[in-house]
């Protein structure tokens, strides 16, 4: 069975600093994708970044990068130069090749302070 | 290009009533997903369609739940004889095919059963 674990219920970071949100996963599928989503208080899930299990390089999207360590089964999200608008819930998710459903973790609430 | 839309955004109903939610995916996306999110949790997969075919249903989708996607465009999720435990945010997402398959979410429908 697939599982996503996010062990940080909440994180604080000062504006303009970098922050790492942890995510570990478990799967027996050889091919899978890892995703990060942001959920502001408005409720909408916003796609941030994707990493495929066979991708050789870590994914980057603007200020977001994914620190993918396959042997450790971790896919941590790094947000550089934090902004006040980054305050939100962040969810790590996994999808396997043979099924399109996403399995989500319990999320990490990030608060950015001035 | 508009994103995924959902209607209504909020629904309050009495226990035992039937409710129906609608989701309009991104126009070129042929895959559509329904998730349920309760307070403090990540979204949980309910079901998904490829075009008009419903390809997978979670065991969370009891007999009181039914989803349709006629003509492979919009989708409806109906809950019959609602229970207080059905109170949650119902999220719809869509994705394209081929390669990376990140899902784009709508704003959700928040259901409150009194």
């Amino acid at each position: 069975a697939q599982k996503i674990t996010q062990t940080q219920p909440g994180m604080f970071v000062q504006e303009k600093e970098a922050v790492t949100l942890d995510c570990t996963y478990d799967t027996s599928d050889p091919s899978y994708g890892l995703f990060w989503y942001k959920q502001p208080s408005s409720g909408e899930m916003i796609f941030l970044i994707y990493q495929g299990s066979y991708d050789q390089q870590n994914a980057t999207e603007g200020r977001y990068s994914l620190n993918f360590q396959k042997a450790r089964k971790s896919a941590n999200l790094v947000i550089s130069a934090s902004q006040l608008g980054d305050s939100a819930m962040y969810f790590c998710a996994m999808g396997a090749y043979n099924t399109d459903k996403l399995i989500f973790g319990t999320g990490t609430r990030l608060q950015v302070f001035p | 290009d508009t994103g995924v839309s959902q209607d209504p955004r909020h629904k309050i109903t009495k226990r035992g009533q039937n409710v129906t939610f609608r989701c309009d995916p991104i126009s070129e996306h042929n895959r559509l997903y329904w998730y349920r999110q309760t307070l403090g949790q990540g979204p949980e997969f309910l079901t998904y369609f490829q075009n008009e075919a419903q390809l997978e249903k979670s065991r969370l989708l009891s007999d009181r739940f039914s989803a349709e996607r006629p003509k492979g465009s919009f989708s409806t999720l109906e809950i019959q004889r609602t229970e207080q435990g059905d109170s949650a945010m119902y999220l719809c997402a869509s994705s394209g095919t081929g390669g990376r398959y990140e899902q784009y979410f709508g704003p959700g429908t928040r259901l409150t059963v009194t």
Side-chain angles (χ1 to χ4, degrees):
Chain A
Q2 298 175 330
K3 186 177 181 182
I4 292 284
T5 302
Q6 294 181 256
T7 58
Q8 304 158 315
M11 289 286 285
F12 289 89
V13 66
Q14 190 167 29
E15 200 176 6
K16 300 180 184 178
E17 296 295 311
V19 63
T20 297
L21 306 183
D22 294 342
C23 172
T24 58
Y25 62 91
D26 190 22
T27 182
S28 56
D29 293 301
S31 180
Y32 50 89
L34 295 155
F35 305 79
W36 277 91
Y37 285 85
K38 173 184 177 181
Q39 188 175 42
S41 56
S42 59
E44 186 169 351
M45 300 285 287
I46 302 168
F47 167 73
L48 295 178
I49 196 167
Y50 163 86
Q51 178 85 43
S53 58
Y54 291 118
D55 292 344
Q56 295 298 314
Q57 292 187 329
N58 287 342
T60 60
E61 293 282 353
R63 294 186 299 110
Y64 305 108
S65 61
L66 201 152
N67 184 1
F68 181 48
Q69 298 188 42
K70 196 170 183 178
R72 295 186 177 184
K73 293 190 174 180
S74 73
N76 298 339
L77 177 70
V78 180
I79 305 175
S80 62
S82 297
Q83 303 172 355
L84 295 177
D86 294 335
S87 295
M89 283 291 288
Y90 287 81
F91 290 96
C92 180
M94 175 170 61
Y97 178 74
N98 60 350
T99 175
D100 276 358
K101 65 184 178 184
L102 292 181
I103 306 298
F104 285 84
T106 51
T108 296
R109 180 170 297 283
L110 177 66
Q111 295 187 58
V112 182
F113 60 93
Chain B
D1 179 33
T2 58
V4 179
S5 61
Q6 292 187 245
D7 184 69
R9 295 291 304 277
H10 303 274
K11 179 71 177 179
I12 300 174
T13 190
K14 292 184 178 179
R15 188 177 55 183
Q17 298 294 304
N18 298 345
V19 294
T20 300
F21 310 141
R22 176 179 170 128
C23 170
D24 287 88
I26 293 171
S27 57
E28 63 268 28
H29 285 177
N30 62 354
R31 293 180 177 173
L32 185 148
Y33 313 80
W34 285 99
Y35 293 84
R36 181 173 69 186
Q37 185 178 24
T38 54
L39 203 60
Q41 300 296 316
E44 296 175 293
F45 171 80
L46 292 178
T47 188
Y48 109 89
F49 294 83
Q50 179 160 315
N51 300 314
E52 65 275 9
Q54 189 174 19
L55 296 188
E56 187 171 350
K57 293 194 293 185
S58 163
R59 57 184 171 81
L60 292 176
L61 216 63
S62 74
D63 292 344
R64 297 184 298 105
F65 288 71
S66 63
E68 295 183 342
R69 193 183 181 196
K71 302 179 183 178
S73 56
F74 70 91
S75 175
T76 58
L77 177 68
E78 181 183 15
I79 309 174
Q80 297 181 329
R81 305 180 303 281
T82 52
E83 302 173 356
Q84 287 189 323
D86 296 332
S87 295
M89 176 77 89
Y90 290 84
L91 294 164
C92 176
S94 69
S95 73
T97 56
R100 36 188 296 175
Y101 43 90
E102 60 265 26
Q103 297 176 18
Y104 293 90
F105 284 78
T109 295
R110 183 168 295 283
L111 172 67
T112 303
V113 181
T114 61

